[in-house]
């Protein structure tokens, strides 16, 4: 682990859901909050926090932390994440599944 050339770089994290449903959007937002809290816990001494851009179904967060291997840690999160739950609003008590795609890229200096 951390043997990659860019592993020590800052990271940009992007989530995307295919369907514009509230549950899928909520799942994408939960994942982004989880990554942000992870970064904040590792970088408590930094005051610059996170920068967020939202474009439709895509949400992008910049997670600063170059010296703390942010990209090296987060690149393992790349892929599709699935949430399966029983909805309290479904009278038949069926399972509902939400999917969110996560992509992480390193910040590169020009």
């Amino acid at each position: 682990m951390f043997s990659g050339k860019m592993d020590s770089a800052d990271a940009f994290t992007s989530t995307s859901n295919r369907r514009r449903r509230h549950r899928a959007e909520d799942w994408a937002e939960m994942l982004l909050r989880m990554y942000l809290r992870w970064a904040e816990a590792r970088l408590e001494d930094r005051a610059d926090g996170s920068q967020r851009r939202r474009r439709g179904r895509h949400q992008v967060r910049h997670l600063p932390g170059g010296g703390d291997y942010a990209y090296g840690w987060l690149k393992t999160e790349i892929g599709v994440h699935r949430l399966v739950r029983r909805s309290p609003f479904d009278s038949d008590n069926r399972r509902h599944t939400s999917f969110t795609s996560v992509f992480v890229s390193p910040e590169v200096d020009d």
Side-chain angles (χ1 to χ4, degrees):
M1 198 166 176
F2 305 132
S3 61
K5 184 170 98 173
M6 299 302 296
D7 284 351
S8 63
D10 290 347
F12 285 97
T13 304
S14 171
T15 62
S16 173
N17 51 344
R18 293 182 189 170
R19 298 180 183 163
R20 292 192 66 126
R21 295 186 178 162
H22 290 291
R23 286 186 297 265
E25 289 177 357
D26 289 346
W27 176 227
E29 188 67 30
M30 281 189 269
L31 283 172
L32 277 175
R33 275 197 319 263
M34 180 185 71
Y35 298 139
L36 179 61
R37 288 184 179 162
W38 172 84
E40 287 174 348
R42 293 179 53 84
L43 307 170
E44 288 178 340
D45 56 333
R46 292 196 182 186
D48 52 3
S50 166
Q51 299 170 3
R52 175 179 170 187
R53 292 180 292 156
R54 184 176 181 144
R55 284 184 250 138
R57 294 183 296 169
H58 300 282
Q59 299 179 12
V60 178
R61 294 252 176 137
H62 174 244
L63 303 177
D68 296 313
Y69 292 88
Y71 176 70
W73 282 105
L74 290 172
K75 71 181 180 180
T76 60
E77 295 292 320
I78 295 172
V80 178
H81 295 257
R82 177 177 67 175
L83 173 68
V84 180
R85 64 180 177 176
R86 296 197 187 273
S87 175
F89 307 108
D90 188 348
S91 61
D92 293 331
N93 203 20
R94 293 176 290 195
R95 295 186 329 173
H96 295 263
T97 306
S98 300
F99 295 94
T100 296
S101 176
V102 175
F103 181 73
V104 178
S105 61
E107 182 179 21
V108 180
D109 293 329
D110 290 333

